[in-house]
Amino acid sequence: MSLQEIRKGIRTMYAADPIRADWELFGRSSDPLTRRGFLSGFATMSAILGAEVVFGRFLPAGLIPAALAEETADFSIPGKHPGLVVLNDRPVNAETPAHLLDDTVTPADRLFVRNNGLPPAVIDPATWTLTIDGEAVEKSVSFSLAELKTRFKHHSYQLTLECGGNGRSEFDPPAHGNQWTTGAVGCPRWTGVRLADVLRAAGLKDNAVYIGYYGADTHISGNPDKVPISRGVPLAKAMEDESLIAWQINGEELPLMNGYPLRLVVGGWPASTSGKWLQRISVRDRIHDGPKMGGYSYRVPCKPVVPGADVEEDDMCIIESMPVKSLVTHPRSGVVHTLSDPLTVRGHAWAGDSAVDTLHVSIDFGQTWQAARLKKPVNRLAWQHFDARIKFPQTGYYEVWARATDNGGRTQPMVVPGWNPKGYLNNACHRIAVKVV
Ligand SMILES: Nc1nc2c(c(=O)[nH]1)N[C@H]1C(S)=C(S)[C@@H](COP(=O)(O)O)O[C@H]1N2
Ligand SMILES: [Mo]
């Protein structure tokens, strides 16, 4: 039986409960339905390949046969575009190739997935609650989803979500973790209530300085007492108009993998601050100290270090606003273009809490730059679209480079900046290959 057939069977079995089906297929089970679990026996392996793995006994443990490693189509994540590249199946992590991010508003099925643990097994929106508690609230309060939706005013914003580790794959010496290239970013339109309104309803004490979220996902070890991730932001960022507790993406329910039924969305900051499957927000009288707030997680050396250096934990600082960056989303890298026509290049640029001021493109490896047309953001913390028409002087191989500059005069570097132990904040210029014939 092929992987597809088994998947189809599970879909049929849970036809009435698609979330349960997603869970069985993807969310939690290690065996036998993820690729790695699946390939643990030669018999299954041969069955999938449709041929015997003659020297199967010599295949190193954990190595996926090339024929299977190559095809990604049957390993698409339920509810996600099949073109997403799966970087890890346990926990699920998948990024979006640049050419699939061409939409001005990122469709839900194209938004990347970054899980630190296992998504919740059972989600019942009818009984889901959000609790606000902590040392620095007047009284702890809980809201059902229905109460949250009726009690507070709804707001919609397009907000850029980028994982702090986007671009990690280019660091040298390499950094451990998911080897994100350029695709751990997206900018959908989110709908929900303002975090500030909900926090005010609970009543903030004078000693409130930070918030920390808790989600319903579980630790990869299976230990129910361990929390996979619990991060947060300083109170000032939490109280911004655009900081949302959201239940919709582009007018529809959140996909399971992106935090259904409720999540935080904190635009412009590392997406690790945007807690998914949101159940609890703690208002803290200190910098939140949940898992992945300290050590080397989502922190970079406070002062620049030599690549590969051992950095003391005490010398690491929490990442706040993300740096200026851009992505060429059209054409797809590797395009063949005719010399007689100008080439239209387009993409998006963003700059954390700041806005992008200018966008330039180069076809001569940065010797000269041409200004692109750059739009204003639809709202604060949304990415901005650019396009440029490029004329090539003669046939041959070119690279189109894009470089954004924010309104504080900070610009994207052409090489990978600021080596750090976990490979965060790579905002080097994106480049695409163009063959002109
Ligand atoms: N509860 C919970 N929230 C979470 C995470 C998680 O693993 N669990 N991952 C964080 C990280 S590191 C990122 S980059 C974003 C990714 O959001 P997405 O999967 O919707 O793209 O979610 C953040 N919120
Ligand atoms: Mo992340």
Side-chain angles (χ1 to χ4, degrees), residues 112 114 116 162-165 180 270-272 298:
F112 73 101
R114 196 291 185 244
N116 287 265
E162 182 181 21
C163 177
W180 304 107
S272 53
Y298 307 102

Side-chain angles (χ1 to χ4, degrees), residues 334-415:
V335 69
V336 178
H337 186 75
T338 31
L339 179 64
S340 52
D341 309 326
L343 174 71
T344 298
V345 171
R346 59 173 181 260
H348 320 287
W350 59 97
D353 279 339
S354 185
V356 181
D357 192 32
T358 57
L359 190 297
H360 290 84
V361 292
S362 173
I363 57 164
D364 54 12
F365 303 101
Q367 299 299 297
T368 62
W369 294 88
Q370 160 192 340
R373 188 166 63 161
L374 179 72
K375 290 202 176 144
K376 296 255 179 283
V378 289
N379 53 251
R380 206 180 147 248
L381 312 180
W383 68 13
Q384 298 167 238
H385 317 295
F386 70 86
D387 64 79
R389 271 160 75 82
I390 293 172
K391 286 203 55 94
F392 295 96
Q394 61 184 74
T395 58
Y397 172 84
Y398 295 87
E399 286 183 10
V400 178
W401 292 9
R403 192 186 72 193
T405 303
D406 74 12
N407 58 18
R410 289 163 293 233
T411 196
Q412 288 185 261
M414 254 103 79
V415 294

Side-chain angles (χ1 to χ4, degrees), residues 178-195:
N178 291 293
Q179 294 300 301
W180 304 107
T181 65
T182 59
V185 65
C187 190
R189 186 173 158 85
W190 307 92
T191 299
V193 294
R194 284 189 175 138
L195 175 56

Side-chain angles (χ1 to χ4, degrees), residues 3-4 7 26 35 67-78 80-86:
L3 208 54
Q4 284 98 324
R7 291 223 156 90
F26 240 93
R35 172 178 292 194
L68 294 176
E70 273 167 21
E71 51 82 52
T72 50
D74 80 318
F75 202 61
S76 61
I77 300 168
K80 289 284 160 181
H81 191 286
L84 260 64
V85 177
V86 178

